[in-house]
Amino acid sequence: MTEATPTSRIPGFYTRTLEDRISRLRDTGLLSPESLEFLLQGGGLEPGIADSMSENVVATHGLPLAIALNFRVNHRDCLVPMAVEEPSVVAAASHAAKLVRMTGGFTGEATRPVMTTQVQLDEVPEPQHAEERLLEVREALIDCANRAIPRMVQRGGGCHDLEVRVLDHDEGLVVVHFYVDVGDAMGANVVDSVAEAVAPEVQLRIGGRIGLRILSNLPVRRTVKVRAEVSIDAVGGADLAKGIERASLFAEKDPYRAVTHNKGVMNGVDAVAVALGQDWRSIEAGAHAWAAMSGAYRPIATWRCVEGTLVGVLEMPMAAGTIGGSTRVHRGVRAAFELLRPADAKELALVMASAGLASNLAALKALAGEGIQRGHMRLHRRKQVAAGGAAEEQRGA
């Protein structure tokens, strides 16, 4: 959004009091007075705002807003907001990011922010000719799509391609994909408008009965790929690095392990998504569908030992937006954006993917070493103590 962010390396941040942490964030100069006041007051969501955001609202439900430290993404330090109830997620991601930071940080790229919307037609009389007929009028259909979203076109986005798929010849089931550059938005409303507008034109060309007109949460043309290198010594030695590689290979061969491996990735991705007002359910659904695209469910992040380093690569669809949705309605989300300051939706996607890869590395390092429970349970006991205190309070102790 604006200039360079101060360092994300803040030793001992977790040992400070809550007030001291906020003071340290204030010193960065990133937070507006309104956001600083929001944090000092303990955060939360005003009931009136909550009522305008959802239906049948009776109260608000809070989550801890934390900062994952040590992240450097494409040579820029990032303070990474996370909203999550599990303390080990924040601690683990920060630890892994510190290891990756020693060798330059996370690097990667995000594709153009192209979302996919689908138009379904049933009972198409000659489905075998549908693609030919629609491609003959491809430009006219794209023009029709863009007339439905003039403001997006003015901002440099818009529909630029389509694809025809025959899913069932006997039933005449044809689906047409329209690919729309949605800029810095997540883009659901934009592409839904496109689908509604073009459906009658598609029907006019190939016949049939119009069915669904809706985005797909598997945006195969809107992906992100990040890479991390960790020295063998930093990760804990050759045996531990090989153990991480073996854990990755295990996930690549077994869907029962792959789903838990991917859950470890999504621990980081989802926590950042919630903090920044993203549609984490859409991102989660897309990630797991992507994992199964080959016909077998596979890990979306892999690790290999390469010439004295441990190299991790994560690739997944990522529909992240810096405008629209709750990105400006929720004061906590606004504060999170001020701290992270992504230049655009592509950079936001890179940071979220980096948090996912860091979370995955931390989980595999724990599993291949002392086991996941030791560190996890140490942090979990903090919550048990707090829960015990709450129970005492309820009993009037």
Side-chain angles (χ1 to χ4, degrees):
M1 286 182 179
T2 61
E3 316 172 359
T5 303
T7 179
S8 63
R9 181 83 183 101
I10 310 177
F13 192 71
Y14 73 98
T15 66
R16 302 186 184 195
T17 65
L18 194 151
E19 292 78 11
D20 286 344
R21 292 182 205 133
I22 296 175
S23 178
R24 181 65 181 83
L25 293 179
R26 178 181 57 206
D27 292 343
T28 66
L30 297 172
L31 290 167
S32 66
E34 294 76 17
S35 291
L36 183 60
E37 179 187 14
F38 171 82
L39 296 181
L40 288 169
Q41 291 175 347
L45 183 62
E46 299 91 334
I49 297 294
D51 193 37
S52 71
M53 292 175 68
S54 190
E55 194 72 17
N56 295 343
V57 171
V58 296
T60 62
H61 183 86
L63 284 173
L65 178 62
I67 304 296
L69 300 174
N70 306 317
F71 277 86
R72 179 170 288 163
V73 180
N74 279 355
H75 313 296
R76 185 177 84 86
D77 272 32
C78 301
L79 296 171
V80 180
M82 287 186 164
V84 62
E85 82 291 347
E86 179 52 65
S88 60
V89 171
V90 181
S94 297
H95 172 67
K98 181 180 176 182
L99 301 182
V100 176
R101 183 188 185 87
M102 296 177 186
T103 43
F106 300 89
T107 58
E109 58 183 3
T111 63
R112 188 177 172 187
V114 173
M115 293 295 287
T116 305
T117 193
Q118 297 182 293
V119 175
Q120 170 199 3
L121 288 102
D122 299 308
E123 301 168 9
V124 174
E126 295 180 314
Q128 68 274 19
H129 298 306
E131 181 175 20
E132 177 186 357
R133 290 172 180 170
L134 291 175
L135 290 182
E136 286 176 353
V137 292
R138 176 181 179 276
E139 296 306 318
L141 291 173
I142 289 175
D143 287 344
C144 175
N146 284 328
R147 286 196 298 274
I149 49 170
R151 294 178 61 188
M152 182 58 69
V153 174
Q154 290 169 7
R155 292 196 294 267
C159 183
H160 63 86
D161 199 9
L162 63 85
E163 179 183 13
V164 183
R165 302 167 60 221
V166 180
L167 300 187
D168 190 319
H169 281 83
D170 293 337
E171 297 292 332
L173 175 54
V174 177
V175 175
V176 186
H177 287 189
F178 287 85
Y179 296 103
V180 185
D181 185 328
V182 297
D184 287 326
M186 182 272 179
N189 292 334
V190 172
V191 297
D192 287 350
S193 295
V194 165
E196 293 281 354
V198 298
E201 293 297 320
V202 172
Q203 182 188 43
L204 182 64
R205 309 296 179 174
I206 63 173
R209 182 163 55 93
I210 295 174
L212 302 188
R213 294 139 289 167
I214 186 70
L215 89 160
S216 170
N217 287 128
L218 179 57
V220 295
R221 299 194 186 187
R222 190 178 192 178
T223 61
V224 62
K225 186 174 184 178
V226 294
R227 186 176 188 273
E229 289 187 21
V230 186
S231 75
I232 296 298
D233 290 340
V235 85
D239 288 346
L240 188 51
K242 277 293 182 184
I244 292 171
E245 182 182 65
R246 288 199 305 275
S248 179
L249 290 167
F250 177 14
E252 290 165 50
K253 296 179 184 297
D254 180 23
Y256 290 87
R257 173 57 206 154
V259 70
T260 312
H261 179 102
N262 289 342
K263 190 268 182 181
V265 172
M266 300 312 292
N267 277 344
V269 173
D270 287 348
V272 181
V274 173
L276 291 162
Q278 306 298 301
D279 186 348
W280 60 269
R281 301 158 303 279
S282 164
I283 294 169
E284 182 89 24
H288 292 295
W290 178 266
M293 287 285 284
S294 68
Y297 188 91
R298 298 175 60 81
I300 57 177
T302 57
W303 295 89
R304 291 292 186 274
C305 293
V306 182
E307 298 178 353
T309 62
L310 181 67
V311 178
V313 177
L314 165 66
E315 186 172 13
M316 62 180 289
M318 187 70 80
T322 59
I323 60 175
S326 62
T327 59
R328 296 296 176 268
V329 175
H330 193 301
R331 291 177 67 194
V333 171
R334 292 204 302 270
F337 265 101
E338 288 175 9
L339 289 168
L340 180 59
R341 305 216 167 194
D344 52 27
K346 291 170 67 174
E347 186 178 26
L348 175 57
L350 283 167
V351 172
M352 292 170 65
S354 297
L357 190 56
S359 296
N360 182 235
L361 171 60
L364 296 186
K365 182 174 180 288
L367 286 167
E370 64 182 13
I372 201 76
Q373 284 298 87
R374 184 175 172 186
H376 177 81
M377 290 308 295
R378 176 176 57 80
L379 292 167
H380 182 63
R381 278 191 290 273
R382 287 171 45 185
K383 289 199 296 184
Q384 290 180 315
V385 170
E392 291 295 320
E393 185 177 319
Q394 288 172 358
R395 288 194 295 268

mmCIF file of all heavy atoms in Angstrom, residues 343-368:
data_model
loop_
_atom_site.group_PDB
_atom_site.id
_atom_site.type_symbol
_atom_site.label_atom_id
_atom_site.label_comp_id
_atom_site.label_asym_id
_atom_site.label_seq_id
_atom_site.Cartn_x
_atom_site.Cartn_y
_atom_site.Cartn_z
ATOM 1 N N ALA A 343 1.181 -4.464 -1.453
ATOM 2 C CA ALA A 343 1.076 -3.521 -2.573
ATOM 3 C C ALA A 343 -0.180 -3.774 -3.381
ATOM 4 O O ALA A 343 -0.784 -2.852 -3.925
ATOM 5 C CB ALA A 343 2.316 -3.635 -3.460
ATOM 6 N N ASP A 344 -0.590 -5.038 -3.480
ATOM 7 C CA ASP A 344 -1.755 -5.407 -4.277
ATOM 8 C C ASP A 344 -2.183 -6.813 -3.884
ATOM 9 O O ASP A 344 -1.610 -7.431 -2.973
ATOM 10 C CB ASP A 344 -1.446 -5.322 -5.777
ATOM 11 C CG ASP A 344 -0.184 -6.085 -6.171
ATOM 12 O OD1 ASP A 344 0.180 -7.072 -5.481
ATOM 13 O OD2 ASP A 344 0.461 -5.697 -7.162
ATOM 14 N N ALA A 345 -3.200 -7.322 -4.573
ATOM 15 C CA ALA A 345 -3.725 -8.646 -4.254
ATOM 16 C C ALA A 345 -2.695 -9.741 -4.517
ATOM 17 O O ALA A 345 -2.667 -10.756 -3.804
ATOM 18 C CB ALA A 345 -4.997 -8.907 -5.065
ATOM 19 N N LYS A 346 -1.851 -9.556 -5.499
ATOM 20 C CA LYS A 346 -0.829 -10.563 -5.795
ATOM 21 C C LYS A 346 0.169 -10.677 -4.652
ATOM 22 O O LYS A 346 0.563 -11.778 -4.263
ATOM 23 C CB LYS A 346 -0.130 -10.230 -7.115
ATOM 24 C CG LYS A 346 -1.023 -10.398 -8.337
ATOM 25 C CD LYS A 346 -0.382 -9.837 -9.594
ATOM 26 C CE LYS A 346 0.835 -10.619 -10.010
ATOM 27 N NZ LYS A 346 1.375 -10.143 -11.308
ATOM 28 N N GLU A 347 0.583 -9.527 -4.089
ATOM 29 C CA GLU A 347 1.517 -9.597 -2.968
ATOM 30 C C GLU A 347 0.848 -10.195 -1.739
ATOM 31 O O GLU A 347 1.473 -10.950 -0.984
ATOM 32 C CB GLU A 347 2.085 -8.213 -2.638
ATOM 33 C CG GLU A 347 3.168 -8.307 -1.557
ATOM 34 C CD GLU A 347 3.815 -6.982 -1.216
ATOM 35 O OE1 GLU A 347 3.172 -5.922 -1.392
ATOM 36 O OE2 GLU A 347 4.969 -7.007 -0.750
ATOM 37 N N LEU A 348 -0.419 -9.880 -1.530
ATOM 38 C CA LEU A 348 -1.145 -10.487 -0.428
ATOM 39 C C LEU A 348 -1.163 -12.004 -0.574
ATOM 40 O O LEU A 348 -0.945 -12.745 0.399
ATOM 41 C CB LEU A 348 -2.573 -9.944 -0.377
ATOM 42 C CG LEU A 348 -3.508 -10.577 0.661
ATOM 43 C CD1 LEU A 348 -2.936 -10.464 2.066
ATOM 44 C CD2 LEU A 348 -4.891 -9.930 0.594
ATOM 45 N N ALA A 349 -1.407 -12.493 -1.782
ATOM 46 C CA ALA A 349 -1.407 -13.934 -2.029
ATOM 47 C C ALA A 349 -0.051 -14.550 -1.701
ATOM 48 O O ALA A 349 0.033 -15.638 -1.120
ATOM 49 C CB ALA A 349 -1.787 -14.216 -3.479
ATOM 50 N N LEU A 350 1.019 -13.852 -2.047
ATOM 51 C CA LEU A 350 2.363 -14.348 -1.760
ATOM 52 C C LEU A 350 2.615 -14.454 -0.265
ATOM 53 O O LEU A 350 3.202 -15.435 0.210
ATOM 54 C CB LEU A 350 3.408 -13.427 -2.397
ATOM 55 C CG LEU A 350 3.615 -13.574 -3.900
ATOM 56 C CD1 LEU A 350 4.432 -12.407 -4.442
ATOM 57 C CD2 LEU A 350 4.326 -14.889 -4.206
ATOM 58 N N VAL A 351 2.188 -13.454 0.487
ATOM 59 C CA VAL A 351 2.379 -13.488 1.936
ATOM 60 C C VAL A 351 1.576 -14.629 2.548
ATOM 61 O O VAL A 351 2.073 -15.370 3.413
ATOM 62 C CB VAL A 351 1.993 -12.136 2.561
ATOM 63 C CG1 VAL A 351 1.993 -12.236 4.087
ATOM 64 C CG2 VAL A 351 2.947 -11.046 2.110
ATOM 65 N N MET A 352 0.328 -14.796 2.119
ATOM 66 C CA MET A 352 -0.503 -15.863 2.669
ATOM 67 C C MET A 352 0.087 -17.229 2.362
ATOM 68 O O MET A 352 0.120 -18.123 3.223
ATOM 69 C CB MET A 352 -1.921 -15.736 2.115
ATOM 70 C CG MET A 352 -2.654 -14.508 2.623
ATOM 71 S SD MET A 352 -4.223 -14.188 1.774
ATOM 72 C CE MET A 352 -5.173 -15.609 2.268
ATOM 73 N N ALA A 353 0.584 -17.409 1.144
ATOM 74 C CA ALA A 353 1.206 -18.686 0.781
ATOM 75 C C ALA A 353 2.486 -18.914 1.577
ATOM 76 O O ALA A 353 2.782 -20.047 1.987
ATOM 77 C CB ALA A 353 1.486 -18.713 -0.714
ATOM 78 N N SER A 354 3.254 -17.857 1.810
ATOM 79 C CA SER A 354 4.479 -17.985 2.601
ATOM 80 C C SER A 354 4.158 -18.413 4.028
ATOM 81 O O SER A 354 4.867 -19.237 4.619
ATOM 82 C CB SER A 354 5.238 -16.656 2.603
ATOM 83 O OG SER A 354 5.651 -16.302 1.300
ATOM 84 N N ALA A 355 3.087 -17.849 4.590
ATOM 85 C CA ALA A 355 2.656 -18.264 5.927
ATOM 86 C C ALA A 355 2.264 -19.734 5.932
ATOM 87 O O ALA A 355 2.522 -20.463 6.908
ATOM 88 C CB ALA A 355 1.488 -17.402 6.395
ATOM 89 N N GLY A 356 1.657 -20.193 4.842
ATOM 90 C CA GLY A 356 1.300 -21.603 4.735
ATOM 91 C C GLY A 356 2.515 -22.506 4.661
ATOM 92 O O GLY A 356 2.582 -23.551 5.321
ATOM 93 N N LEU A 357 3.503 -22.111 3.871
ATOM 94 C CA LEU A 357 4.714 -22.921 3.734
ATOM 95 C C LEU A 357 5.498 -22.934 5.044
ATOM 96 O O LEU A 357 6.060 -23.963 5.441
ATOM 97 C CB LEU A 357 5.569 -22.392 2.589
ATOM 98 C CG LEU A 357 6.754 -23.266 2.153
ATOM 99 C CD1 LEU A 357 6.309 -24.674 1.775
ATOM 100 C CD2 LEU A 357 7.505 -22.612 0.994
ATOM 101 N N ALA A 358 5.530 -21.793 5.742
ATOM 102 C CA ALA A 358 6.199 -21.735 7.041
ATOM 103 C C ALA A 358 5.518 -22.661 8.043
ATOM 104 O O ALA A 358 6.185 -23.397 8.794
ATOM 105 C CB ALA A 358 6.199 -20.297 7.562
ATOM 106 N N SER A 359 4.199 -22.650 8.076
ATOM 107 C CA SER A 359 3.457 -23.509 8.998
ATOM 108 C C SER A 359 3.714 -24.977 8.701
ATOM 109 O O SER A 359 3.865 -25.804 9.612
ATOM 110 C CB SER A 359 1.959 -23.202 8.915
ATOM 111 O OG SER A 359 1.698 -21.883 9.338
ATOM 112 N N ASN A 360 3.778 -25.320 7.431
ATOM 113 C CA ASN A 360 4.053 -26.689 7.018
ATOM 114 C C ASN A 360 5.455 -27.124 7.446
ATOM 115 O O ASN A 360 5.657 -28.226 7.978
ATOM 116 C CB ASN A 360 3.881 -26.794 5.502
ATOM 117 C CG ASN A 360 4.096 -28.182 4.962
ATOM 118 O OD1 ASN A 360 4.909 -28.382 4.064
ATOM 119 N ND2 ASN A 360 3.371 -29.172 5.471
ATOM 120 N N LEU A 361 6.442 -26.252 7.243
ATOM 121 C CA LEU A 361 7.815 -26.564 7.652
ATOM 122 C C LEU A 361 7.884 -26.794 9.160
ATOM 123 O O LEU A 361 8.510 -27.758 9.621
ATOM 124 C CB LEU A 361 8.750 -25.427 7.255
ATOM 125 C CG LEU A 361 10.187 -25.505 7.802
ATOM 126 C CD1 LEU A 361 10.884 -26.775 7.336
ATOM 127 C CD2 LEU A 361 10.983 -24.269 7.396
ATOM 128 N N ALA A 362 7.250 -25.919 9.925
ATOM 129 C CA ALA A 362 7.289 -26.056 11.376
ATOM 130 C C ALA A 362 6.668 -27.381 11.824
ATOM 131 O O ALA A 362 7.204 -28.064 12.710
ATOM 132 C CB ALA A 362 6.571 -24.880 12.025
ATOM 133 N N ALA A 363 5.553 -27.752 11.209
ATOM 134 C CA ALA A 363 4.892 -29.000 11.580
ATOM 135 C C ALA A 363 5.759 -30.208 11.243
ATOM 136 O O ALA A 363 5.918 -31.126 12.057
ATOM 137 C CB ALA A 363 3.541 -29.106 10.873
ATOM 138 N N LEU A 364 6.345 -30.220 10.055
ATOM 139 C CA LEU A 364 7.176 -31.355 9.654
ATOM 140 C C LEU A 364 8.448 -31.434 10.492
ATOM 141 O O LEU A 364 8.917 -32.529 10.825
ATOM 142 C CB LEU A 364 7.528 -31.254 8.174
ATOM 143 C CG LEU A 364 6.357 -31.339 7.188
ATOM 144 C CD1 LEU A 364 6.862 -31.375 5.753
ATOM 145 C CD2 LEU A 364 5.480 -32.547 7.472
ATOM 146 N N LYS A 365 9.012 -30.285 10.842
ATOM 147 C CA LYS A 365 10.213 -30.265 11.690
ATOM 148 C C LYS A 365 9.890 -30.868 13.060
ATOM 149 O O LYS A 365 10.674 -31.648 13.612
ATOM 150 C CB LYS A 365 10.710 -28.830 11.839
ATOM 151 C CG LYS A 365 11.981 -28.662 12.669
ATOM 152 C CD LYS A 365 12.454 -27.212 12.611
ATOM 153 C CE LYS A 365 13.734 -27.004 13.436
ATOM 154 N NZ LYS A 365 13.478 -27.061 14.877
ATOM 155 N N ALA A 366 8.742 -30.519 13.606
ATOM 156 C CA ALA A 366 8.342 -31.080 14.898
ATOM 157 C C ALA A 366 8.073 -32.578 14.790
ATOM 158 O O ALA A 366 8.514 -33.365 15.624
ATOM 159 C CB ALA A 366 7.112 -30.347 15.420
ATOM 160 N N LEU A 367 7.361 -32.978 13.738
ATOM 161 C CA LEU A 367 7.031 -34.388 13.568
ATOM 162 C C LEU A 367 8.264 -35.253 13.353
ATOM 163 O O LEU A 367 8.362 -36.366 13.874
ATOM 164 C CB LEU A 367 6.080 -34.555 12.376
ATOM 165 C CG LEU A 367 4.636 -34.115 12.598
ATOM 166 C CD1 LEU A 367 3.902 -34.023 11.271
ATOM 167 C CD2 LEU A 367 3.928 -35.073 13.547
ATOM 168 N N ALA A 368 9.205 -34.737 12.574
ATOM 169 C CA ALA A 368 10.409 -35.502 12.267
ATOM 170 C C ALA A 368 11.411 -35.471 13.413
ATOM 171 O O ALA A 368 12.350 -36.264 13.457
ATOM 172 C CB ALA A 368 11.077 -34.959 11.004
#
